[in-house]
Amino acid sequence: AFLLTDGVGADAAKLAAATKAKQKPCVTTDISQVVSGACVMAVKSEPKVEITVNKAAATDSGVSFAASFRMMIKEI
């Protein structure tokens, strides 16, 4: 798995290409990177836990989730 930190900006496109090529997920706290498709999943813990998954980025990276996990996330 890849961890994308905040502040990467446009360089996130390089990571997106690597996640697709290596078929590995990317996780970040930067929701904008998930919205753009550069990363598969964003996790936010304040004020409550929220997990957002970019369905297209997950498919491109070969990542799938069990139905029980998908019930707890927001897919975009």
Side-chain angles (χ1 to χ4, degrees):
F2 294 96
L3 177 61
L4 181 64
T5 60
D6 290 342
V8 175
D11 287 333
K14 295 175 187 173
L15 180 64
T19 63
K20 290 175 188 175
K22 299 204 179 275
Q23 298 288 285
K24 303 289 181 187
C26 171
V27 180
T28 186
T29 58
D30 186 353
I31 188 70
S32 66
Q33 296 297 347
V34 174
V35 171
S36 74
C39 201
V40 172
M41 182 186 326
V43 179
K44 177 182 168 185
S45 61
E46 291 294 329
K48 62 180 182 174
V49 174
E50 293 179 11
I51 302 169
T52 305
V53 172
N54 183 311
K55 189 174 181 179
T59 300
D60 289 347
S61 298
V63 177
S64 62
F65 301 99
S68 57
F69 180 74
R70 290 180 58 213
M71 291 182 353
M72 299 184 297
I73 65 174
K74 175 184 168 187
E75 281 187 313
I76 56 172

